[in-house]
Amino acid sequence: MTIPASFIQELIARADVVEIVGRYVQLKKAGANFMGLCPFHGEKSPSFSVSPTKQFYHCFGCGVHGNAIGFLMEHAGMGFVEAVHDLAGQYGLQVPEDDASPEERARAAGQRQKQATLSEVLEKAGEAYRKQLRQSPGAIDYLKGRGVSGEVAKQFGIGYAPAGWRSLASVFPDYDDPLLAESGLVIVGEAEEGGEAKRYDRFRDRVMFPIRNVKGECIGFGGRVLGDEKPKYLNSPETPVFSKGRELYGLYEARAAFRDRGYALVTEGYMDVVALAQLGFPNAVATLGTACTPEHVQKLFRFTESVVFSFDGDAAGRRAARKALDGALSYATDVRSIKFLFLPAEHDPDSFIREFGADAFARFVSEATPLSRFLIEAAREGCELSTAEGRAHMASNARPLWSALPEGALKRQLLAEIAALAQLGTQELAELWMPAAPRPPAPAPSRASAPVASEMTEEDWASRDQWFDEQARGGSEKKRFKSFRQPPPPRPPPGGRRLPTSRADVAARLVLSNPAEWEALSHELHALLCDLPGEHGQLFAWLDSQGHEHGIQPWAALREGLRGLSFEALAVRVMTGPDGGPIGDAEGEQAADAARELRNVLDYMLDDLLKAQQSEAIAAVGSDPRALERYKALEARRLELRNRLRPSTNSA
C-alpha cells in the first residue's frame, strides 16, 4: 500500500501535536511551548518540550524528537502505516491508497469501523466486570491471596465475571446482538430442532484480565477461575480485533518500564505479569496461551533493544523456549540482546521473588542464557560430539538456526563456534553451507517462457537486485519483474503409484507410511507441518503428540488412534492406493526412496513458506527499515534450497 506524500504532509499540518502528546503525557504551558516529563526515559524534572507552532516535540534529556506520527510510532509502538491510519481516524480523514481499488478501500474502511465497534463493546463489558469485582468478596480474597493490591488491580483493569449464565444481559439490553458473539463475549450454541440457538456468557465466575492493544483499547479478555476447575485460564477467541499470535498481555502497561529497566521480560501467564508489577518488575508481558511468535518479538523490539524470555526449567519450559528461539532468530541483530531465563522447576517468577527477593531475581535475569549459547545448546541436544556422526548431526541441526540470523558480527562469530564444535575450519563450514551457485542453465524450449527460480539468468538476478538496491536507497521507481513459475511437483515414487493432489497430502502419506522419518525431521520442519492450515496441520500436530507419548508407531497402530478424529478421513485417503487398497509401512529400499521423496517435497514446501515471508518483507520495505535485511537473509536460505532442488528440477 502506498500513501501519497501530499496526504502525509496535510495530515501533519492538520494534527495538533500538543493534543496527541497530551493524551499520554501531562503537559504544562511554559512560555510559547508546553513541558512535561519525558515518556521515553525516566526523569524527575521535565525536559520534554512540545511546540504548538513548529508541531514538534523534543526532549533535552535523551534527545528524542519528531512530529505527531513519529510520537505514535515511538510511544505507542505503531508501524508507520498504522500510525498514519490512527492519526487520520482521529481527525476524520480517509487515508488515500494509490494502489488500492475502490472495493478494497471500502472493505478496509468497513473493517476499521467494525474494529472500532467491537472495541467499544469490549470496553463496556470491561467496565461492568470492574464494577462486579467491587461486589465480589471471593474474587477480592483471591487477588489479595496472590498479593495483588487494589492499586495494581486498577492499573491493569482487573475485574470479575459473575457465575450466572447470562450476566451480560444486564449490561447489554439487546443480548441477541451479533456483536456480542463476534467479540467473543457470548457463545451461541447449536439450535435444537424447531427452536432457537442458546446464548450464554463465555466468561463465568472468573477473575477477568482485559487485554489491551498498544493504544490502550480493550481487544479481548483472559479469565482465571478462582479454584482448581479446568480450564484454569480461558482466553477470548480470535476476532477481528484480537489475535493471540500477535498480542502480548501487559504490553500497554509495560511500555514505559521497558525504557526505565532497559529490557522486556516475557513470562507465561497473566498472574506472572501482575505479580511482577506488584513486586517491582513492571516491565513484564506474557504470551496469551500460545507459543512466542515472530510477530510477538517484532512488536517488543519496537519498544526496547533487549528481551529476556522467562520459562520454567522443566521439559515443557524448554520446548516453549525452543519455539521462542525460532521466533527471535531473524531479529537477533548485533545491537540487540535476547536472553533465556530458566527458573527452578518448583518456582514461577512470583514465588521466586517472594522466597529469594527482588535483588536475587534481578541477578538471575542478568545471568540469563544469551541467544548465542542457547542456539548452540539446542543444536547439540542429543548429539554425541565425541563422534564424527554426532558432530555432523549437530552441524545439521545448527544450519537452519544459523541461517535464520540476520547478517552481522553475531552470525559470523556463531559460524566460528559451530565450526569449532564440528571440528571444521570456519571457511570449510562456510563453503559447505553456502556453496557457490553455478550459472543456471537456460530454460529448455519445451518449458513455459517464464523461468523457474532455479533457472534465472544473470540478467534476471541483476534486474531484481537492482530493484532492491533502489528500494534500500528509497527510490520511488518500482520496476516490474518477470513472474517465476512455481517449481514442478516432485516426481512420482517408484512403482508408478499416483501422488495425492497436494504437497501436504504427499508429506502426510510419506510420514504415515514411514513414521520413523518424523523423528528425523528438524524442529523447523515439524513447525512447518504442524502449522499447515486445516486438517493437515491438525493431523501432523496429532502425530507429533503421539510420538511424544508413545514413540514411533506403525501405520496400523496410528490408524486405530485416528478413529473418531476430525482428520481421520484425510489420513485414510492419503494412505489408500490407486487400486483402493491400503498403503502399508515402507521398508528397506522403499523406505529409503520414501525418505528421499519426503525431503524433496518438504524442501518445496519450505521454499513456498520462505517465499511468502519474502513477500511480507517486501510489503514492509518503506515502513520497516529492517525489511530489506530480512528479505536478503530469506533469499540466502532460498538459494540453498534451489541448489538442492536443481537436479530434480532440471531432470523433471
Side-chain angles (χ1 to χ4, degrees), residues 590-607:
Q590 185 186 17
D593 288 339
R596 285 191 291 272
E597 186 185 357
L598 178 62
R599 295 301 193 279
N600 193 46
V601 73
L602 289 179
D603 278 347
Y604 280 120
M605 295 174 72
L606 183 57
D607 187 61

Side-chain angles (χ1 to χ4, degrees), residues 19-20 23-24 72 78 85-93:
E19 178 188 359
I20 300 301
R23 296 174 186 175
Y24 303 91
L72 291 176
M78 301 181 191
H85 275 283
D86 183 85
L87 192 61
Q90 295 182 40
Y91 288 92
L93 299 177

